[in-house]
Amino acid sequence: MATIEQIAFWNSPVPQLMVCPVSNLIEAANKSACQLLQVPLAELKQTHASSWFNHCFTQLVVFTQETMMNGHAWSDTLSVKIAEQETPITLETLASQVELEGRQMIQFVFQDVEKIDRNRVQSDAERHYRSGIGQWQRMARIFQDFERENQLILDAAGEGIYGVDANGQATFINPAAERILGFRGEELIGRNIHTAIHYKHCNGNHYHVEDCPIYAAFQEGEVRQVDDDVFWSKSGVPIDVEYTSTPIKDGDQVVGAVVIFRDITEKKRAQRELVQALKEVDQLRQQLEMENAYLQEEISSEFNNHQIVGRSQAVRELVKQINLVAPTDVTVLICGESGTGKELIARAIHESSKRSKRSLIRVNCAAIPAELFESEFFGHAKGSFTGATSDRPGRFELAHGGTLFLDEVGEIPLALQGKLLRVLQEQQLERIGESSTRNVDVRIIAATNRNLAEMVAAGTFREDLYFRLNVFPIESAPLRQRADDIPLLAQHFLDKAGKRLNKPDMRISLAQLETLKRYDWPGNIRELENVIERQVILAHGQWLKFDDLQTETQQRTELNIAESAIVTASDLKQHERQSIINALKQARGKVFGRDGAAEIMGVKPTTLASRIKRLGIDVRLFKGEHV
């Protein structure tokens, strides 16, 4: 059985809604609300409250936050769009925060502003007529009596109020209007109010008097309400206002209008701040989503160990350099052969720096097609090229506040090195398809296994970019120069592989460690980790064996001895050099991958890369070489 309160709520002549601020659902509505929105109760309770205010969503957000903060709020700027009506219905809305069955709800109470104004105008006209105002003969007398009879209200009102006659001249002005506009009453009374305070738009364009809603109020005899306009103060500063212009009649003749306006400067500022805050939150959300996706990708990558293992002199010197440069924002260039742990060094620098709370974003310059370099580095706008279906930040923006690691920096095309240099110097960039400039705060760590100085001399790498990157060079020593670290590294990789492959009790004997130390490791640390993981997989017992490495080393030694009996060491070196050059010619300078020189020669790509470097062969000379 319904309670008296429920019956009163349902039958109230004023439309009311109960809305849950968390779910955005309409929990209850009365009969008047259903009639106003032209929707049955059951259907209305299945809709989201915000769906009725799509065209004024920002105002709804500000209004709702004001309600939740103060417990109540009032607005006459909200409007609802009824499906079969062309224009929205402007509402005078009162909201209160209430507790219903232990839940926090917002109660909305609406009134149709157009009906309120129509009833108010009719009521005012009837009241004026009964009191004798309808018999006034002189227009000036009407406004004088209006001002006199409403003096207390005019003085106490917080809104600005002024009157204009049929010629647009000010007839009175209340203290609040004087305070808001900066004019004294006597400075405005008798002046054309439009030319005094309403003469141009906020963008500076002239405001033609025939377009003025205030004039329309007494020319057409209709109430005009404007939610976003500017009045100009005495000092020439624009004031954001909302106002209502209501016509004043003497019988059937419109003799002028009364304008009630409100300074909404702070309200608009709050709205702009809210919109900007929402925009920044959305941008941050997108950036965090991109960073999260990137980091998830990095977690699954082959190298993600943040510890530098070893006690050799090379490692001690390396740690010393990291400790020196990490606290600064200096650009670092890490040089060394493939597989020596250059990314590990970059991560150690980043994690020891003041930027460690932000991301280290890695870019493998050798893996990016030349046509995608700009998009990958600087981002692009939606529609800027085929396939650009949405706005996308580049790696520089993702690294904002953190560190950008340019791996294999020597592979960046010469044509794009100038754009990269400009961003490094100015810390500013433009997305593809955008004309606006974005500021970034990024520390650069670069790495390469190539000799950039030689590339500069050959004209394939910009000298100014080289000097910009080579501020603090760090050399990553090859594993053959760190033989004393091999036992520690081997144990580290053994523990890692044992946990991953569920073989925690694997062992390496001292004799086998010596075998590992004798091998020259052309693939460096990466090859050591792969060899140990492979042996853990193949092992049948507890002890690992590395006979393949010993056999390979012996075969290489025997081959050198055998060949030395036939040719000199110089001839052997020249034969090896010529063989590699022939393979590079056939592969057109390609070392790695399918149809590369390593595949043609039947050797590991890392091994071939090491030999190419040892023999001083410039792979660039064979780029584009035809067989």
Side-chain angles (χ1 to χ4, degrees):
M1 183 175 181
T3 64
I4 294 176
E5 290 80 6
Q6 291 172 331
I7 295 173
F9 173 80
W10 173 250
N11 291 287
S12 172
V14 181
Q16 300 183 49
L17 297 176
M18 288 289 186
V19 177
C20 174
V22 178
S23 66
N24 191 23
L25 290 174
I26 298 175
E27 299 285 345
N30 68 353
K31 181 168 60 178
S32 297
C34 296
Q35 293 172 349
L36 172 67
L37 301 177
Q38 301 179 15
V39 176
L41 178 61
E43 183 179 343
L44 184 59
K45 292 175 67 175
Q46 295 178 358
T47 63
H48 289 89
S50 61
S51 65
W52 294 94
F53 301 88
N54 283 335
H55 54 286
C56 58
F57 181 75
T58 302
Q59 293 95 319
L60 177 65
V61 172
V62 174
F63 181 74
T64 303
Q65 289 186 343
E66 182 181 355
T67 303
M68 298 298 291
M69 181 178 296
N70 299 329
H72 58 83
W74 175 90
S75 173
D76 59 357
T77 63
L78 298 179
S79 57
V80 293
K81 183 71 168 61
I82 309 302
E84 297 181 0
Q85 296 186 9
E86 294 182 358
T87 59
I89 299 175
T90 303
L91 303 174
E92 180 175 331
T93 309
L94 178 65
S96 301
Q97 187 177 8
V98 298
E99 184 172 343
L100 185 63
E101 298 178 354
R103 300 166 59 198
Q104 292 296 322
M105 310 286 287
I106 296 180
Q107 181 180 14
F108 289 85
V109 180
F110 305 107
Q111 291 193 72
D112 188 334
V113 170
E114 184 176 348
K115 290 182 179 179
I116 294 173
D117 290 336
R118 188 163 54 246
N119 293 337
R120 183 179 296 142
V121 170
Q122 182 177 355
S123 176
D124 289 345
E126 292 175 356
R127 185 168 60 253
H128 294 334
Y129 181 83
R130 288 194 299 271
S131 64
I133 295 178
Q135 303 302 319
W136 291 344
Q137 298 298 314
R138 298 175 58 232
M139 184 169 55
R141 177 75 179 275
I142 293 175
F143 285 101
Q144 289 171 3
D145 287 353
F146 182 92
E147 184 179 8
R148 184 179 63 253
E149 292 185 2
N150 297 281
Q151 192 63 53
L152 291 176
I153 296 176
L154 292 174
D155 291 344
E159 291 84 2
I161 305 174
Y162 64 83
V164 291
D165 60 21
N167 296 317
Q169 294 178 334
T171 58
F172 67 84
I173 180 171
N174 77 334
E178 292 179 322
R179 184 175 62 254
I180 295 172
L181 298 173
F183 286 98
R184 297 193 307 274
E186 56 267 26
E187 293 178 296
L188 287 179
I189 293 174
R191 288 181 60 183
N192 185 291
I193 198 70
H194 183 82
T195 59
I197 67 170
H198 206 203
Y199 48 88
K200 62 181 178 181
H201 296 282
C202 58
N203 61 5
N205 292 338
H206 179 67
Y207 203 145
H208 298 285
V209 68
E210 55 267 23
D211 298 328
C212 179
I214 299 172
Y215 271 70
F218 55 76
Q219 289 176 344
E220 302 172 6
E222 296 181 357
V223 176
R224 291 301 181 97
Q225 180 174 335
V226 177
D227 297 327
D228 188 8
D229 206 343
V230 294
F231 287 167
W232 295 85
S233 68
K234 181 178 179 179
S235 61
V237 176
I239 303 169
D240 294 309
V241 296
E242 58 185 18
Y243 61 85
T244 301
S245 180
T246 304
I248 298 296
K249 295 183 178 181
D250 180 13
D252 294 332
Q253 182 183 5
V254 179
V255 296
V258 172
V259 178
I260 301 176
F261 67 95
R262 179 185 300 172
D263 184 351
I264 59 170
T265 302
E266 287 302 312
K267 178 181 177 181
K268 290 196 65 176
R269 182 189 60 77
Q271 289 176 346
R272 288 192 296 269
E273 289 179 354
L274 175 62
V275 171
Q276 181 62 29
L278 292 175
K279 181 180 179 180
E280 291 176 358
V281 167
D282 186 60
Q283 291 175 343
L284 181 59
R285 176 188 60 78
Q286 292 181 8
Q287 181 174 356
L288 290 176
E289 287 178 354
M290 292 290 292
E291 287 185 5
N292 182 63
Y294 173 82
L295 292 175
Q296 289 298 325
E297 178 183 315
E298 286 293 286
I299 288 172
S300 62
S301 64
E302 184 176 2
F303 291 95
N304 196 34
N305 174 24
H306 293 179
Q307 298 177 354
I308 297 178
V309 179
R311 292 195 295 263
S312 65
Q313 180 61 35
V315 169
R316 289 197 296 270
E317 182 62 28
L318 176 62
V319 172
K320 180 180 178 181
Q321 289 181 298
I322 291 173
N323 292 336
L324 285 173
V325 77
T328 72
D329 272 342
V330 168
T331 301
V332 178
L333 178 62
I334 306 171
C335 301
E337 298 177 11
S338 296
T340 55
K342 294 186 290 294
E343 182 177 350
L344 189 65
I345 298 171
R347 290 189 181 278
I349 294 172
H350 171 73
E351 291 171 0
S352 300
S353 73
K354 60 186 179 182
R355 297 173 178 263
S356 59
K357 293 183 179 179
R358 297 293 294 167
S359 299
L360 171 70
I361 301 299
R362 174 180 177 267
V363 184
N364 184 357
C365 301
I368 303 175
E371 63 273 13
L372 296 180
F373 256 89
E374 281 194 78
S375 173
E376 190 69 23
F377 274 92
F378 312 132
H380 61 254
K382 180 180 179 181
S384 56
F385 55 84
T386 303
T389 57
S390 62
D391 291 344
R392 183 178 185 274
R395 295 300 176 97
F396 269 92
E397 287 185 71
L398 289 178
H400 179 66
T403 304
L404 183 63
F405 176 46
L406 303 178
D407 198 8
E408 304 298 346
V409 70
E411 304 300 327
I412 298 178
L414 184 62
L416 295 172
Q417 291 176 16
K419 294 183 178 180
L420 175 62
L421 175 64
R422 185 169 62 253
V423 175
L424 295 184
Q425 290 175 336
E426 300 175 2
Q427 293 280 290
Q428 292 181 334
L429 57 87
E430 293 178 3
R431 289 183 180 179
I432 298 176
E434 283 188 353
S435 58
S436 59
T437 300
R438 298 171 182 263
N439 295 319
V440 290
D441 174 22
V442 177
R443 181 189 188 167
I444 300 298
I445 300 177
T448 182
N449 61 0
R450 303 180 66 175
N451 190 320
L452 296 185
E454 291 182 358
M455 293 181 65
V456 170
T460 58
F461 199 85
R462 290 179 63 116
E463 184 178 38
D464 46 6
L465 178 58
Y466 170 65
F467 289 129
R468 183 67 181 81
L469 296 174
N470 196 37
V471 179
F472 192 94
I474 292 180
E475 186 71 27
S476 180
L479 187 56
R480 61 181 174 274
Q481 296 178 11
R482 298 174 50 191
D484 292 342
D485 291 332
I486 289 178
L488 290 174
L489 288 166
Q491 187 60 50
H492 172 74
F493 293 137
L494 179 61
D495 294 340
K496 182 178 176 182
K499 290 178 181 178
R500 185 167 61 251
L501 300 173
N502 198 26
K503 290 186 175 182
D505 298 324
M506 305 304 294
R507 298 287 186 271
I508 303 177
S509 67
L510 292 177
Q512 292 296 316
L513 284 176
E514 288 301 318
T515 298
L516 294 177
K517 291 175 68 175
R518 285 194 299 271
Y519 185 58
D520 61 2
W521 299 106
N524 291 296
I525 298 174
R526 184 183 294 119
E527 183 182 5
L528 173 61
E529 182 177 16
N530 292 341
V531 165
I532 290 177
E533 183 173 7
R534 181 171 67 248
Q535 293 305 317
V536 169
I537 295 172
L538 297 175
H540 296 292
Q542 186 180 19
W543 297 92
L544 297 188
K545 294 184 179 180
F546 302 96
D547 296 334
D548 291 343
L549 287 178
Q550 188 175 19
T551 300
E552 183 177 342
T553 303
Q554 289 175 345
Q555 289 176 347
R556 188 160 57 249
T557 302
E558 291 171 359
L559 178 62
N560 290 337
I561 294 173
E563 291 185 350
S564 66
I566 301 173
V567 296
T568 65
S570 175
D571 291 338
L572 179 60
K573 182 176 181 180
Q574 183 60 35
H575 176 77
E576 181 184 20
R577 179 185 178 86
Q578 189 59 48
S579 178
I580 294 174
I581 288 175
N582 292 339
L584 287 172
K585 286 182 178 180
Q586 183 175 337
R588 302 172 72 175
K590 182 179 179 181
V591 177
F592 297 82
R594 186 174 181 180
D595 297 329
E599 183 180 271
I600 293 172
M601 297 185 69
V603 298
K604 295 179 181 178
T606 52
T607 302
L608 180 58
S610 178
R611 292 175 182 174
I612 289 173
K613 182 175 182 180
R614 175 167 53 82
L615 294 171
I617 299 174
D618 190 347
V619 176
R620 293 168 302 174
L621 298 175
F622 307 100
K623 297 288 185 180
E625 184 81 17
H626 292 280
V627 180

